[in-house]
């Protein structure tokens, strides 16, 4: 699942370095961190070109997306462990 809907308009328009005419395909990766001010930091990376972006969500936004983010993190972890 592409998580580009979590990015602001400027970042959505970023074209992929591998697929030149298409936008990046964003998936969550790494640790999810709680931040001051009731915000949550999530790191996204492009599945094709490995470009990374840090996004900050409010706790309400994160709760809405939490199940999808955790599901995608589990998929990526199993994909990476299968490659090893």
């Amino acid at each position: 699942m592409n998580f580009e809907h979590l990015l602001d308009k400027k970042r959505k328009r970023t074209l992929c370095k591998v697929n030149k005419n298409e936008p990046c395909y964003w998936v969550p990766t790494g640790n999810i961190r709680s931040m001051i001010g009731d915000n949550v930091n999530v790191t996204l990376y492009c599945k094709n070109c490995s470009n990374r972006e840090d996004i900050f969500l409010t706790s309400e936004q994160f709760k809405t997306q939490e199940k999808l983010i955790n599901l995608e993190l589990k998929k990526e972890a199993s994909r990476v462990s299968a490659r090893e």
Side-chain angles (χ1 to χ4, degrees):
M1 173 175 200
N2 192 349
F3 284 81
E4 74 174 353
H5 62 279
L6 298 177
L7 298 169
D8 60 18
K9 289 180 183 180
K10 183 180 178 183
R11 289 183 186 171
K12 278 185 187 178
R13 286 186 250 134
T14 303
L15 293 179
C16 186
K17 294 173 186 172
V18 174
N19 301 330
K20 303 279 185 201
N21 294 327
E22 295 179 24
C24 286
Y25 189 92
W26 298 104
V27 292
T29 188
N31 296 324
I32 297 170
R33 299 181 297 171
S34 177
M35 307 298 284
I36 294 175
D38 207 23
N39 292 313
V40 178
N41 171 255
V42 179
T43 302
L44 301 176
Y45 83 101
C46 177
K47 214 172 181 178
N48 302 315
C49 70
S50 299
N51 192 14
R52 290 182 178 264
E53 289 286 344
D54 281 313
I55 61 169
F56 295 90
L57 305 172
T58 64
S59 59
E60 293 83 24
Q61 289 172 321
F62 178 73
K63 290 214 185 294
T64 302
Q65 301 293 326
E66 186 173 18
K67 287 181 184 176
L68 288 175
I69 290 171
N70 287 328
L71 178 66
E72 198 66 33
L73 285 172
K74 287 178 187 174
K75 281 184 191 177
E76 285 301 307
S78 65
R79 183 183 68 83
V80 169
S81 64
R83 288 175 46 184
E84 294 175 351

